[in-house]
Amino acid sequence: MTQPALRILYIDDDQALCRLVQRALGRFGHQVVTAHDGDQGVARAREENFAAICLDHYMPGADGLETLAALHALPDPAPVIFVTGADETRVAVAALRAGAEDFVVKTPGESFLLLLHRAIEGAVDRATMRRQQAETEAKVRSALDRAEELAASRALLLQEVNHRVANSLQIIASLTRLQEGAVSDPAARAALAAVRHRIAAVAQVHRRLYTSADVRSVALNDYLGGLLEEIGRSVETACIAFTGAPLEVPPDRAVSLGVILSELVTNALKYAYPGMPQGGPIRVTLALEGTDGVLRVEDDGIGGAGAALPAGTGLGGRIVQAMAATIGGLVEFASGPGSRITVRFALA
């Protein structure tokens, strides 16, 4: 690719060759500034901007390799083309290892000047590409930094939102409990308790999200275990045993499973052990079977306590079926002796 006019520094103690290079490269539109020893060349490179620097090796004072090191110590150094004699291959290799962009062997005639011109343009092209690549990489790093900052701010905002939602739901649950205590009708009290358990199922998810570093998933075993503890505290006669495998699910899936569990356990508390004020054992299991999660609620009661759930005739049954449908879950019921309700669901 043909370069636009370039300012080039040519460092060589051969003044006749310097003039020859000036005229030859001038025909290509380039401006050549000369220096006749290494110290003078470094001083000019420090004071002025050059697209490329051509450097002879044998000069009075500092030689080419010493001058090359001084040039590279300057801020934003220009690419250097080393100029050597025909028998100085060892010096040229040392210059390339020291950071020279290219080298050209001095030969009589026009070939040296043509090769020098090509080497200069090639060096400038490569330097321009490296500079553009560095600028692009800097922009990419800056964009990644901004994205990380945005992600951190978003995560913090989500935690704050979950905190506020959890607090609001807790207030609603507390108000529901107060209303429950003020109602004398057993059916109304049971309905309010069921509502409170549903609210708790949702609040538990938000509570765990705002205390978690990852707002994209919920540790299902911890969440369901905490939910069962809340239900157990509200029903003093409950004897609920929980065994949970360490499963991770998205928050919306956890909410659906929490509501399902609340309905199934509430159903067992209400109907499994009639005539037994102290109730009886209720076993909840969370397991991984194949690639699916399995949530199972069992009791040793009269059997058929949850028989209405698959048919969907009651509100609790409709809620369970609706929540299971949102996560592509399958509800299975088995009765006698006792009851066993199983919900199979995909983890994602």
Side-chain angles (χ1 to χ4, degrees):
M1 162 172 101
T2 303
Q3 290 280 357
L6 304 173
R7 291 191 79 248
I8 300 163
L9 175 61
Y10 191 87
I11 306 173
D12 196 322
D13 62 332
D14 188 337
Q15 298 188 29
L17 183 58
C18 288
R19 290 192 293 272
L20 181 63
V21 170
Q22 279 182 315
R23 289 196 300 270
L25 296 184
R27 291 197 293 268
F28 295 101
H30 304 320
Q31 178 188 3
V32 179
V33 177
T34 62
H36 303 305
D37 60 53
D39 293 339
Q40 183 184 15
V42 172
R44 300 208 70 158
R46 182 181 295 110
E47 296 169 359
E48 305 175 48
N49 292 323
F50 296 98
I53 299 173
C54 301
L55 175 62
D56 188 28
H57 179 56
Y58 293 108
M59 296 179 295
D63 64 16
L65 293 176
E66 294 169 330
T67 303
L68 176 62
L71 290 170
H72 276 176
L74 298 176
D76 194 20
V80 175
I81 296 91
F82 216 73
V83 179
T84 66
D87 58 347
E88 296 169 356
T89 303
R90 179 184 57 81
V91 174
V93 171
L96 292 175
R97 288 176 176 172
E101 185 71 31
D102 202 350
F103 76 94
V104 177
V105 177
K106 291 182 184 179
T107 56
E110 291 290 324
S111 60
F112 163 67
L113 298 172
L114 181 60
L115 290 173
L116 183 63
H117 172 243
R118 290 177 178 172
I120 291 170
E121 292 199 335
V124 172
D125 280 342
R126 291 189 293 274
T128 300
M129 291 176 64
R130 284 196 298 270
R131 184 166 55 252
Q132 291 173 345
Q133 182 180 5
E135 291 173 355
T136 300
E137 290 175 350
K139 291 178 180 178
V140 170
R141 285 194 297 271
S142 178
L144 289 175
D145 290 342
R146 289 196 300 272
E148 289 177 359
E149 291 175 3
L150 181 61
S153 298
R154 180 175 177 270
L156 186 62
L157 178 61
L158 284 174
Q159 286 183 325
E160 179 62 22
V161 168
N162 283 310
H163 190 185
R164 291 174 183 268
V165 170
N167 285 346
S168 298
L169 290 172
Q170 187 60 51
I171 291 172
I172 296 172
S174 298
L175 293 174
T176 305
R177 178 184 283 275
L178 290 174
Q179 186 66 47
E180 186 182 336
V183 173
S184 58
D185 180 37
R189 289 171 62 91
L192 288 170
V195 169
R196 179 163 48 81
H197 293 157
R198 291 162 190 154
I199 294 171
V202 180
Q204 271 275 359
V205 168
H206 290 283
R207 190 176 302 121
R208 292 185 180 277
L209 286 177
Y210 80 72
T211 58
S212 171
D214 185 4
V215 297
R216 296 170 299 180
S217 66
V218 173
L220 190 57
N221 55 322
D222 291 340
Y223 161 58
L224 297 182
L227 181 59
L228 289 172
E229 287 180 7
E230 284 197 26
I231 295 175
R233 284 194 298 268
S234 67
V235 184
E236 295 179 358
T237 60
C239 179
I240 305 172
F242 176 62
T243 303
L247 305 182
E248 297 275 341
V249 295
D252 55 347
R253 191 165 294 258
V255 168
S256 296
L257 289 166
V259 172
I260 289 172
L261 179 61
S262 175
E263 295 298 327
L264 295 180
V265 171
T266 301
N267 192 70
L269 290 170
K270 289 167 61 177
Y271 302 117
Y273 300 101
M276 298 175 59
Q278 299 302 316
I282 298 172
R283 295 177 297 279
V284 178
T285 305
L286 175 68
L288 178 67
E289 295 185 4
T291 59
D292 292 335
V294 173
L295 176 63
R296 185 172 289 115
V297 178
E298 300 176 272
D299 64 68
D300 298 327
I302 62 173
L309 290 177
T313 56
L315 177 60
R318 292 198 299 272
I319 290 175
V320 168
Q321 295 289 2
M323 292 293 100
T326 63
I327 59 175
L330 177 64
V331 182
E332 303 170 352
F333 173 77
S335 179
S339 298
R340 183 178 62 194
I341 302 173
T342 302
V343 181
R344 300 182 184 277
F345 58 94
L347 296 179

